[in-house]
Amino acid sequence: MAAAADTGKPKTSPKSIKFLFGGLAGMGATVFVQPLDLVKNRMQLSGQGSKAREYKTSLHAVASILRNEGVRGIYTGLSAGLLRQATYTTTRLGIYTVLFERMTKADGTPPNFFMKALIGMTAGATGAFVGTPAEVALIRMTADGRLPPDQRRGYTNVFNALVRITREEGITTLWRGCIPTMARAVVVNAAQLASYSQSKQALLDSGYFRDDILCHFCASMISGLVTTAASMPVDIVKTRIQNMRMIDGKPEYKNGLDVLVKVIRNEGFFSLWKGFTPYYARLGPHTVLTFIFLEQMNKFYKIYFLDS
């Protein structure tokens, strides 16, 4: 009986550990890339409405934030960023890992690329729904510094933001923009998680890489590049809908398709990838750090708890 039991799939960490490691990996990465997230959000809001563009470039945004808000200002919204990872990334990586192992055959053969993409889309949409309240708080906190003092919301931390939003605007406001956020997450996770797994597998099969940090770094950089290219059009739709104005009493855009049509018609097809470099500068390092932290935590858990 014991021998028969040993012929099954190799031992893996419990589901709770998979969820925990996913969240911790995302939170660890956020500590390093929060300034990039702040700059990205400020750049997306720059020139909103009829206002002149506040920031010419990403470097100009960084200099302006440091000059007007100090060094601490560059980490504005960190608590919201951490909570977003604790909810969104914990859910998406946990669900992805659990489904990935369930779809892996008894002989260790992993799911094919399309199944990985489907798993990634499911994990991403679920994680986005869970993480939307923290994302709403994050966007508001990172945008606050660009407003005149009398118009700032002045949230002291993410929990203060969530409580005040619920009390002042209703609990449903915490899920404002949930649909485009979930749509973006579907694309991001299908591209990121599937391309990471596929890239890592291809690098290992090449014979030039071992399953170490260098391999994880290269696979993450490839994954970040693929994810940026795939998700930018959806991200532009999400951003424009969340920040759209009312013109003559009507919303600026009817829906996501209307955003795409207007951007292509008025700004050109390649405007859907406007800001590719700063977007990748934020997404790339976060992808790299998240997967490196996740791989290392899984490695040490296996050494000290599964193999001991």
Side-chain angles (χ1 to χ4, degrees), residues 6-279:
D6 290 339
T7 62
K9 294 182 181 180
K11 292 188 295 182
T12 61
S13 55
K15 291 181 176 61
S16 59
I17 295 297
K18 292 179 173 58
F19 278 74
L20 175 65
F21 284 177
L24 289 176
M27 292 171 75
T30 293
V31 171
F32 291 92
V33 304
Q34 176 63 22
L36 294 171
D37 209 23
L38 172 69
V39 171
K40 170 189 169 289
N41 289 339
R42 292 284 181 92
M43 289 290 290
Q44 288 181 334
L45 294 172
S46 178
Q48 185 178 6
S50 59
K51 295 180 180 178
R53 290 179 60 186
E54 298 149 289
Y55 311 115
K56 298 175 183 177
T57 64
S58 298
L59 290 177
H60 179 225
V62 172
S64 179
I65 293 168
L66 288 173
R67 183 173 62 252
N68 298 325
E69 302 168 49
V71 176
R72 291 183 62 183
I74 206 72
Y75 270 94
T76 298
L78 177 61
S79 62
L82 292 173
L83 181 63
R84 180 179 181 273
Q85 295 301 321
T87 52
Y88 169 65
T89 305
T90 296
T91 303
R92 76 182 180 104
L93 288 182
I95 289 176
Y96 181 82
T97 305
V98 169
L99 292 179
F100 186 91
E101 290 188 352
R102 184 164 293 183
M103 297 296 177
T104 299
K105 297 179 181 178
D107 61 0
T109 303
N112 60 39
F113 180 82
F114 294 104
M115 184 56 68
K116 289 173 187 172
L118 181 60
I119 294 172
M121 293 188 322
T122 302
T126 308
F129 180 81
V130 174
T132 294
E135 182 150 355
V136 170
L138 174 63
I139 290 173
R140 291 188 174 197
M141 291 177 74
T142 53
D144 218 26
R146 61 185 285 272
L147 298 172
D150 60 326
Q151 296 181 24
R152 294 176 185 175
R153 295 182 173 94
Y155 301 135
T156 54
N157 55 60
V158 65
F159 299 109
N160 174 253
L162 296 176
V163 169
R164 283 183 51 191
I165 291 171
T166 302
R167 186 173 64 238
E168 297 168 8
E169 305 171 56
I171 194 167
T172 56
T173 306
L174 295 176
W175 277 270
R176 178 176 292 171
C178 182
I179 299 302
T181 301
M182 291 175 69
R184 175 186 176 276
V186 166
V187 176
V188 166
N189 285 277
Q192 185 184 66
L193 296 173
S195 62
Y196 176 79
S197 297
Q198 200 74 11
S199 300
K200 179 184 173 186
Q201 192 173 321
L203 291 173
L204 291 174
D205 290 345
S206 72
Y208 295 103
F209 291 86
R210 293 180 298 173
D211 192 359
D212 53 18
I213 288 183
L214 177 60
C215 176
H216 305 159
F217 175 81
C218 293
S220 297
M221 289 300 292
I222 296 170
S223 174
L225 189 62
V226 172
T227 303
T228 299
S231 67
M232 280 206 72
V234 190
D235 193 63
I236 285 179
V237 170
K238 168 185 171 293
T239 299
R240 299 234 174 159
I241 287 180
Q242 288 177 333
N243 295 307
M244 67 182 174
R245 300 168 293 162
M246 299 296 288
I247 301 176
D248 297 328
K250 296 181 180 179
E252 191 174 359
Y253 304 107
K254 298 175 183 177
N255 49 48
L257 181 61
D258 187 41
V259 176
L260 291 175
V261 170
K262 287 183 176 178
V263 169
I264 292 172
R265 185 175 64 229
N266 300 328
E267 304 169 45
F269 177 75
F270 290 103
S271 291
L272 294 175
W273 288 271
K274 186 184 296 181
F276 186 95
T277 301
Y279 187 95

